Amino acid sequence: MSANESPAGRQPTATYDSPFMKACRREPVPHTPVWFMRQAGRSLPEYRKVRAGVPMLESCMRPELVTEITLQPVRRHGVDAAIYFSDIVVPLKAIGLDLDIKPGVGPVVEEPIRTRADLARLRDLTPEDVSYVTEAIGLLTRELGPTPLIGFAGAPFTLASYLVEGGPSRTYENAKAMMYGDPELWADLLDRLADITAAFLKVQIEAGASAVQLFDSWVGALAPADYRRSVMPASVKVFEAVAGYGVPRIHFGVGTGELLKLMGDAGADVVGVDWRVPLDEAARRVGPGKALQGNLDPTVLFASTEVVETRTREVLDAAAGLEGHVFNLGHGVMPSIDPDALTRLVEYVHTQTAR
Ligand code: CP3
């Protein structure tokens, strides 16, 4: 270990000792760290400018563009962490699936995965498939200084929901029909996706990501018993695959009030909470030994500054007894939000929690 390397390996000591990393490890912090899911994106005019004319998936494969977009919210808002600019379907595209991200819609898969024969299309992901990720993270960690970079991936269930449905869905009827009706095929599908997801996270950590977040955005559609039986084993496999790196692992989903305990048990160090469950109650559900991340309702940002501050204060009060707290929204930044409201929110959380 060289002088400027941390106990966790690749990152500089200043990154390892940053408020975000400390909060994830449940250590004392100088102030509550803040970042926002979807902080890079259409809410920022500078994002819309550099993305003009470049399709979403193509932009994820250009290291200089990825670097610029990832840095934009750090420069503008002074957030405590960057999140790598990409999308959950990037590794699936990288192994050759015919899919696209349609503006205003989301990921669309040309030929959905519905049968055992379809599984053959899900080959393993190698680092060479996503060499642009390694390159971009190399550029980024040089630019970021002490600010940690969060890598991420879609969790097996949320990826499967797009692959089986063929696109966004409100009911997940095809995915759930497979889960209930052909549990062996479903288990094999999720297992394949777990391997791909784990490989994608490893690439990001090896390249220099300081933490990783597993987005199981749509898993709140499941009852706890079905989560435990049909989804949790695959997510456990992902978390176990990266456990040896010692980087914080965050686990997030929407509408997961009834799943918080299981999502923590799946192997996360930090459990992400949407706005439906107050953080003190979430901590009771999750149990000891985990930090929490969240959980201001993103739509609160459409209200006045005074209302934003009152609601933020409530989140901070509910978080007062937590072992570790990373402030975030309960889900992603909405494209139509005024970015100045986000800058003010970062400042407010920092001053309110300065110790
Ligand atoms: O700043 C960040 O958080 C990093 C970037 C990021 C994107 N996608 C960029 C993006 C992250 C973390 C994601 C993850 C992602 N992608 C999730 C999980 C997070 C969540 O919100 O629950 C999901 C479910 C997806 C799938 C997806 N990709 C959707 C639903 C959409 C929106 C479609 C639309 O146009 O409204 C996308 C496209 C996408 N991914 C955009 C961005 C900035 C918007 C497209 C664009 O800017 O052209």
Side-chain angles (χ1 to χ4, degrees):
M1 196 165 81
S2 77
N4 65 350
E5 272 195 4
S6 69
R10 282 156 224 282
Q11 58 201 317
T13 307
T15 307
Y16 184 80
D17 288 337
S18 63
F20 169 78
M21 296 296 286
K22 286 188 163 166
C24 290
R25 295 193 300 264
R26 294 171 285 119
E27 295 169 9
V29 285
H31 60 78
T32 298
V34 188
W35 71 279
F36 303 118
M37 292 182 275
R38 293 281 180 96
Q39 63 190 16
R42 286 168 292 184
S43 67
L44 302 182
E46 59 270 36
Y47 170 83
R48 297 195 295 268
K49 191 167 166 226
V50 296
R51 271 291 317 284
V54 190
M56 177 62 194
L57 279 173
E58 199 189 314
S59 69
C60 297
M61 296 170 195
R62 294 196 194 171
E64 280 85 15
L65 189 55
V66 167
T67 302
E68 166 59 20
I69 293 174
T70 302
L71 292 172
Q72 285 176 348
V74 180
R75 281 188 210 118
R76 182 190 265 262
H77 303 309
V79 283
D80 294 275
I83 179 155
Y84 182 73
F85 182 77
S86 183
D87 194 82
I88 57 169
V89 296
V90 162
L92 303 177
K93 182 79 181 176
I95 60 164
L97 287 189
D98 189 0
L99 60 84
D100 199 4
I101 297 179
K102 296 237 157 77
V105 178
V108 177
V109 183
E110 196 55 45
E111 286 175 73
I113 304 269
R114 299 270 169 88
T115 66
R116 183 153 292 279
D118 292 333
L119 286 190
R121 290 193 272 138
L122 294 174
R123 69 162 173 85
D124 283 334
L125 179 87
T126 69
E128 293 72 39
D129 293 321
V130 286
S131 54
Y132 46 87
V133 174
T134 301
E135 193 183 332
I137 292 182
L139 295 172
L140 266 168
T141 46
R142 258 167 274 156
E143 296 279 334
L144 276 165
T147 306
L149 177 69
I150 303 168
F152 76 90
F157 175 82
T158 291
L159 293 178
S161 78
Y162 286 108
L163 289 180
V164 179
E165 298 297 334
S169 169
R170 282 197 302 162
T171 56
Y172 313 103
E173 55 202 59
N174 296 292
K176 288 170 90 172
M178 187 194 288
M179 184 183 85
Y180 295 132
D182 193 343
E184 281 178 23
L185 175 58
W186 174 259
D188 290 348
L189 169 60
L190 263 67
D191 192 64
R192 291 268 60 227
L193 293 171
D195 289 342
I196 293 164
T197 294
F200 191 54
L201 291 178
K202 282 182 185 175
V203 167
Q204 296 174 68
I205 299 168
E206 301 258 355
S210 293
V212 287
Q213 176 155 325
L214 191 65
F215 281 96
D216 213 348
S217 300
W218 313 136
V219 79
L222 299 183
D226 289 311
Y227 178 80
R228 186 190 286 109
R229 183 168 41 225
S230 306
V231 171
M232 197 172 162
S235 295
V236 166
K237 192 179 192 191
V238 174
F239 283 122
E240 277 178 357
V242 296
Y245 291 102
V247 303
R249 297 160 300 167
I250 312 169
H251 199 183
F252 170 79
V254 182
T256 53
E258 303 302 325
L259 303 178
L260 289 172
K261 170 94 176 92
L262 294 169
M263 289 178 73
D265 290 349
D269 305 295
V270 184
V271 178
V273 184
D274 81 0
W275 62 92
R276 292 173 179 88
V277 182
L279 289 176
D280 47 355
E281 171 59 19
R284 275 189 289 278
R285 294 184 189 187
V286 169
K290 313 272 178 198
L292 297 186
Q293 175 174 282
N295 74 341
L296 186 72
D297 183 342
T299 59
V300 164
L301 289 162
F302 292 104
S304 68
T305 303
E306 197 191 340
V307 170
V308 173
E309 291 184 351
T310 307
R311 292 301 187 121
T312 301
R313 194 60 258 169
E314 286 170 17
V315 170
L316 296 173
D317 288 345
L322 301 187
E323 296 180 49
H325 178 216
V326 175
F327 188 93
N328 207 313
L329 304 176
H331 198 187
V333 169
M334 287 155 172
S336 54
I337 212 69
D338 171 10
D340 292 342
L342 292 169
T343 310
R344 285 194 296 269
L345 178 54
V346 174
E347 173 71 18
Y348 183 75
V349 173
H350 284 170
T351 52
Q352 288 288 307
T353 59
R355 331 190 216 273

